[in-house]
Amino acid sequence: MPGSEVGYDVRVKSPTTSRVRRNPAGIVSPGQFKPTAIQPAVPLPPANPPRPAGDLSTASIDEVAAVTIERLDYPSKPNQVGVGMRKLLRHLATFDGSSWQQRWEASGLDEAGQTAADRLATSLATRRQVNAAVGHTFALRLIQPSLRGFRANKFANYPAWFRRVAADPLLDAYFAKVDTMAVSRNSQFRMRFDVCCALTVFGIDLADLTPEALLHFGVESRAQGLVLGENDRGHGTFAGGLAWAALYEMGHFPASAPRTLRAAVTQGQRPIEDVVDDYQLRNREVRDLLVEYLHRRASTVDYSTLRHLTANLVRVFWKTVEQVNPDQADLHLSEETFGKWKAAIATTRHGKPRQQLEGPLLAARSFYLDLQSWAHAEPERWARWVAPCPIRDEDLRWFHVRRRRLQERMADRIRERQPLLPGLSQHVSDHWHRMRTLLDATRAVELGARFTLDGVTWQRASTQTDRDNDLQAHRPVRVINCDTGELIRLSHAENQAFWQWAVVETLRLAGLRAEELSELTHLSVRNYQRPSSEVVALLVVTPSKSDRERVIPMSAELFHVIAQIIRRHRAESGTVPVCTRYDLHEKIWSEPMPFLFQTIHSGARRGMSSSTIWRMIHRATLQLAETNPDYAGIKFAPHDFRRLFATELVNNGLPIHIGAALLGHLNIQTTRGYVAVFDENVITHYQQFLDRRRAGRPDGEYREPTTDEWAGFQEHFDKRRVELGSCGRPYGTPCVHEHVPLTETVKRLWRSADVNAA
């Protein structure tokens, strides 16, 4: 995958690849993201470049200063604005060039590094004047900077300057759209800043800003570590992601464009040839064989399975074979090569023992057997590669033993977590209700007001940010704990607490896979009327692992959770919003659907991923571990809830085949493997078995023995030490305990005592 070698110059028509960057501080590699849906492209220079204040390229210093004061509405402090502008332009006038643009480029200020304020300022006041003058020249379109030249400076009010000078109705509509977005005040500023920055460096109006151009701006900002905001630096985010969502929703981008910038840069499914070439195999003929084989298998498996098969065959099998025997030319592996290969794959690349050794072995065995089978039907295509399979039955003999050990570890994991599950459920419920109560109490008071809740004194935050947020439709709420001084982003914390509760409770009560949970939609909730006219709420689970749809009758608790989710969406948006979801396994985006579990990411709604669900559960467990040491070091995976659900169903008397239907298992043995048997269940069921067996025996066998009978029994019981193994005589010597005759009475008492003891 390409790194940060390819750079873009925002003032040229096409990307430049003539220089190699050496990863200076702040540069971020593309990682798993790579433009696929559309390609980044610099917009063509317009025939009539925007000149909202007229053509000032050759204007005098006094003319530029006068236009700045007029167009930027600075009549109250013309001297301050004029001083900074004159100081900057006098400095640029010392460099060669017939226009201010040429002088700017000749001055060296168009590159990252020293700014005009650094070069010219002699005091803090002068620094502010010069810095503002640089921003004014950009807003007036007097100078078109490069991205690096623009971002070398910091402007707190640049979007307002740019909008005032541009006087563009389309830009005004964009700013109005941003004001309605359900994001924080800082995020709204980023949305305005990114668009104004892109228009400035491209030298275009908003009407000419295409998805390809904004994608180019985002990719280049990421590559240079120029994403707005200190918290984002180095984290690999893309500039323009929030702006993309607003431009798409207002209809500026065509409907064929990706709905979000993340969708535009997500790599998605990669061609088999590219994945195989990542491993740089030496033997090109074997490389072509593997590619052809994987193409044949791709028609029968999903993409996730194909990726694992590719990794096992290409990286673990053949790449390792080439490492242990670089001269290997075909699939005929000698005993020595095969032995070295097995020893090499016993450990991972990190030096740890490989836990799933059967994966590479089974993949390689299937590879050889498939070639043998296909060679009969298509000898001209596969026959030359037929070879004896080096993996024999004895190599896989331990597989069943390992499966049993794995099942034992899973059962131990469930036994460890079952007594902890009620505490986790209670914690997420209490935490959400506590946050919701605090949020309602905070919204009921004015900014800066204090109130007491459950013995704790709180104060609603009243900074300038809070006063600005109070004017928004979706007002973020912050509160201060007066006892500890802690500032809480309350609306954000309550939202997180709600979704933690919803995720944990749905997994606990429905036994869904993480992927199935993320795929639930508003359409998944159905009603079924029984012949008795009773209405049962159903949860329809879309096909996932087993590729079969199933229906789960909802309990009252599960129905309450689903109803709360729908109620929350309707309170915020009037309905369950339609959004897309990215499948981390199949690497594809879904069609827009009303997903129940969705969040706002980069200003746009999208369905939760399985990794987001895992993080929510992990965060809830960490919170609980702070007050309860029993949860320290305990990790609940989404699949743990599924195993706990199966165990509870079967251990409480539900027939296992019904449990298999509820869990979506095609084989009842899979469900049996999910159920962890507890010692208490073994004892209870065995005692029930004895009670049923005794109920069928004659009552006379269970009468109370007399005193003499019981004394005689104990006497003979003590003498039967050989049979009981309590005799301490040396082996091979006679013993007085042997061959003790038993009377019929003793035999009957022994049988009765044996049954009672059991």
Side-chain angles (χ1 to χ4, degrees):
M1 186 180 299
S4 59
E5 293 83 5
V6 179
Y8 298 95
D9 187 340
V10 297
R11 289 202 310 271
V12 297
K13 180 177 179 180
S14 60
T16 61
T17 59
S18 58
R19 60 186 184 278
V20 177
R21 300 196 178 104
R22 299 299 180 186
N23 286 326
I27 289 184
V28 181
S29 72
Q32 63 176 324
F33 302 109
K34 179 181 179 181
T36 53
I38 59 176
Q39 293 300 317
V42 179
L44 296 175
N48 297 313
R51 297 287 185 266
D55 188 0
L56 302 174
S57 59
T58 59
S60 66
I61 295 177
D62 291 336
E63 290 175 341
V64 174
V67 171
T68 303
I69 296 171
E70 176 187 356
R71 296 304 300 266
L72 289 170
D73 194 18
Y74 284 122
S76 60
K77 44 184 177 181
N79 294 333
Q80 181 179 350
V81 175
V83 168
M85 182 62 72
R86 288 183 175 87
K87 194 174 188 67
L88 172 65
L89 296 183
R90 288 193 188 107
H91 175 71
L92 295 180
T94 61
F95 297 93
D96 295 334
S98 59
S99 65
W100 293 114
Q101 178 68 34
Q102 295 175 357
R103 295 164 186 159
W104 167 265
E105 294 175 356
S107 68
L109 295 175
D110 205 31
E111 296 293 333
Q114 191 179 32
T115 65
D118 294 332
R119 190 180 295 183
L120 302 177
T122 58
S123 64
L124 180 59
T126 306
R127 183 180 186 85
R128 291 175 177 172
Q129 292 171 357
V130 174
N131 186 73
V134 173
H136 294 159
T137 60
F138 297 162
L140 290 168
R141 306 296 183 112
L142 175 68
I143 294 173
Q144 181 185 340
S146 67
L147 179 60
R148 290 179 291 274
F150 185 98
R151 293 304 310 279
N153 306 273
K154 294 184 179 181
F155 310 115
N157 299 317
Y158 188 76
W161 297 341
F162 189 87
R163 179 186 184 185
R164 192 175 301 147
V165 173
D168 183 358
L170 185 58
L171 186 62
D172 293 338
Y174 171 74
F175 274 55
K177 175 63 179 178
V178 169
D179 291 335
T180 65
M181 299 290 287
V183 294
S184 67
R185 198 75 172 180
N186 290 336
S187 296
Q188 289 181 347
F189 176 80
R190 291 174 57 185
M191 297 167 76
R192 301 187 187 98
F193 182 90
D194 286 341
V195 165
C196 293
C197 178
L199 298 182
T200 301
V201 298
F202 290 141
I204 59 176
D205 287 324
L206 184 56
D208 299 322
L209 184 63
T210 62
E212 292 79 5
L214 186 57
L215 178 59
H216 170 88
F217 173 77
V219 170
E220 177 65 8
S221 297
R222 174 191 171 101
Q224 293 298 320
L226 299 176
V227 180
L228 182 63
E230 293 297 329
N231 292 333
D232 294 328
R233 189 174 299 277
H235 286 262
T237 55
F238 286 89
L242 294 167
W244 187 297
L247 291 169
Y248 187 91
E249 288 188 15
M250 67 181 291
H252 180 72
F253 285 170
S256 59
R259 297 174 66 92
T260 62
L261 187 144
R262 184 56 61 93
V265 300
T266 302
Q267 193 171 41
Q269 296 186 357
R270 300 179 60 198
I272 293 176
E273 292 81 358
D274 293 350
V275 178
V276 173
D277 288 340
D278 286 344
Y279 301 108
Q280 300 178 352
L281 301 181
R282 300 178 60 180
N283 191 320
R284 300 300 299 177
E285 291 186 339
V286 175
R287 177 263 180 197
D288 295 339
L289 170 67
L290 291 171
V291 169
E292 193 172 7
Y293 175 80
L294 291 170
H295 272 295
R296 178 78 170 263
R297 291 293 307 274
S299 60
T300 60
V301 298
D302 56 27
Y303 183 73
S304 177
T305 304
L306 182 65
R307 285 192 300 121
H308 286 91
L309 178 61
T310 304
N312 283 327
L313 275 183
V314 182
R315 176 173 60 82
V316 182
F317 173 58
W318 189 252
K319 183 66 176 178
T320 308
V321 168
E322 290 187 339
Q323 291 173 352
V324 300
N325 185 10
D327 298 328
Q328 185 69 38
D330 53 24
L331 301 182
H332 290 265
L333 303 184
S334 65
E335 289 293 334
E336 180 182 3
T337 300
F338 179 66
K340 292 181 179 179
W341 175 75
K342 283 202 303 182
I345 68 170
T347 57
T348 65
R349 291 174 294 177
H350 307 291
K352 298 180 180 180
R354 189 179 297 276
Q355 295 295 325
Q356 296 182 350
L357 191 59
E358 72 278 2
L361 292 174
L362 290 175
R365 183 183 176 93
S366 299
F367 177 54
Y368 277 87
L369 297 181
D370 285 340
L371 292 180
Q372 295 173 13
S373 175
W374 298 348
H376 288 283
E378 301 176 87
E380 70 285 353
R381 187 176 183 184
W382 309 103
R384 64 174 294 226
W385 295 106
V386 173
C389 180
I391 303 172
R392 303 176 180 86
D393 292 340
E394 53 265 25
D395 295 320
L396 299 174
R397 186 170 298 165
W398 53 268
F399 171 68
H400 300 290
V401 177
R402 183 195 169 277
R403 294 296 300 177
R404 287 196 294 270
R405 300 291 85 80
L406 177 62
Q407 180 62 34
E408 291 171 1
R409 291 198 300 271
M410 288 295 101
D412 289 339
R413 181 183 178 94
I414 298 307
R415 292 190 187 101
E416 181 183 22
R417 283 157 178 75
Q418 191 192 44
L420 301 178
L421 180 59
L424 178 62
S425 174
Q426 189 64 39
H427 166 74
V428 294
S429 179
D430 293 344
H431 181 55
W432 172 48
H433 286 292
R434 185 166 56 252
M435 290 293 102
R436 182 177 61 177
T437 303
L438 181 57
L439 180 61
D440 293 340
T442 305
R443 283 175 172 167
V445 301
E446 299 294 332
L447 295 176
R450 293 195 175 196
F451 61 96
T452 301
L453 183 65
D454 296 333
V456 180
T457 302
W458 302 87
Q459 181 180 10
R460 184 169 182 179
S462 182
T463 63
Q464 183 61 45
T465 300
D466 296 289
R467 288 190 288 272
D468 292 340
N469 289 338
D470 199 46
L471 302 176
Q472 295 180 261
H474 301 275
R475 297 179 294 177
V477 178
R478 302 193 303 171
V479 67
I480 302 172
N481 187 327
C482 297
D483 298 336
T484 63
E486 179 186 7
L487 176 64
I488 301 176
R489 298 164 56 197
L490 190 53
S491 52
H492 175 72
E494 189 274 340
N495 186 67
Q496 276 196 334
F498 172 80
W499 288 112
Q500 281 182 2
W501 170 77
V503 165
V504 170
E505 290 299 282
T506 305
L507 289 175
R508 181 179 71 88
L509 297 170
L512 303 177
R513 302 179 179 93
E515 181 184 5
E516 294 170 343
L517 178 75
S518 62
E519 291 178 349
L520 290 178
T521 69
H522 197 185
L523 305 177
S524 301
V525 183
R526 305 288 180 85
N527 291 332
Y528 167 70
Q529 186 171 1
R530 302 179 64 186
S532 61
S533 299
E534 178 187 2
V535 178
V536 179
L538 303 177
L539 191 64
V540 180
V541 181
T542 56
S544 59
K545 183 176 180 180
S546 61
D547 198 26
R548 291 181 63 184
E549 183 180 79
R550 69 180 190 275
V551 178
I552 300 176
M554 287 193 282
S555 63
E557 295 85 355
L558 178 58
F559 184 78
H560 169 70
V561 176
I562 300 299
Q564 287 288 351
I565 295 173
I566 297 174
R567 184 180 296 113
R568 190 178 188 87
H569 285 309
R570 287 178 172 174
E572 294 177 352
S573 307
T575 184
V576 179
V578 173
C579 64
T580 58
R581 172 187 168 273
Y582 184 67
D583 192 325
L584 293 175
H585 300 287
E586 295 302 308
K587 306 297 182 184
I588 57 175
W589 290 90
S590 71
E591 294 295 328
M593 299 185 69
F595 291 106
L596 293 179
F597 291 84
Q598 57 179 263
T599 56
I600 297 179
H601 191 279
S602 297
R605 290 185 176 272
R606 76 179 189 190
M608 288 185 187
S609 65
S610 55
S611 59
T612 300
I613 293 171
W614 187 94
R615 284 194 298 270
M616 286 186 174
I617 300 171
H618 183 59
R619 191 183 301 117
T621 308
L622 291 179
Q623 292 172 353
L624 185 55
E626 295 176 358
T627 57
N628 192 333
D630 292 340
Y631 292 84
I634 296 295
K635 294 182 179 179
F636 274 88
H639 221 69
D640 288 334
F641 295 93
R642 182 170 170 83
R643 293 181 180 274
L644 287 166
F645 178 77
T647 301
E648 182 180 4
L649 288 181
V650 177
N651 287 342
N652 281 281
L654 186 73
I656 194 169
H657 67 282
I658 301 298
L662 291 175
L663 292 168
H665 289 156
L666 300 181
N667 190 342
I668 196 172
Q669 295 301 325
T670 305
T671 309
R672 191 182 302 278
Y674 270 52
V675 178
V677 179
F678 291 79
D679 294 339
E680 178 63 28
N681 294 325
V682 174
I683 295 173
T684 302
H685 285 81
Y686 187 65
Q687 287 179 340
Q688 292 175 355
F689 162 74
L690 291 179
D691 292 340
R692 289 193 299 269
R693 188 179 68 173
R694 289 169 182 170
R697 286 179 175 270
D699 295 338
E701 293 188 5
Y702 298 102
R703 68 175 179 82
E704 291 294 330
T706 64
T707 304
D708 294 338
E709 289 174 336
W710 187 250
F713 171 76
Q714 287 181 328
E715 179 182 356
H716 286 275
F717 182 82
D718 291 338
K719 291 180 180 180
R720 296 187 64 190
R721 295 181 180 177
V722 173
E723 184 176 347
L724 296 175
S726 61
C727 180
R729 66 181 176 84
Y731 180 77
T733 61
C735 176
V736 297
H737 303 131
E738 289 183 325
H739 311 300
V740 176
L742 298 178
T743 64
E744 289 301 323
T745 302
V746 172
K747 291 180 180 179
R748 180 169 52 80
L749 290 173
W750 171 265
R751 183 167 58 252
S752 177
D754 190 16
V755 173
N756 288 327

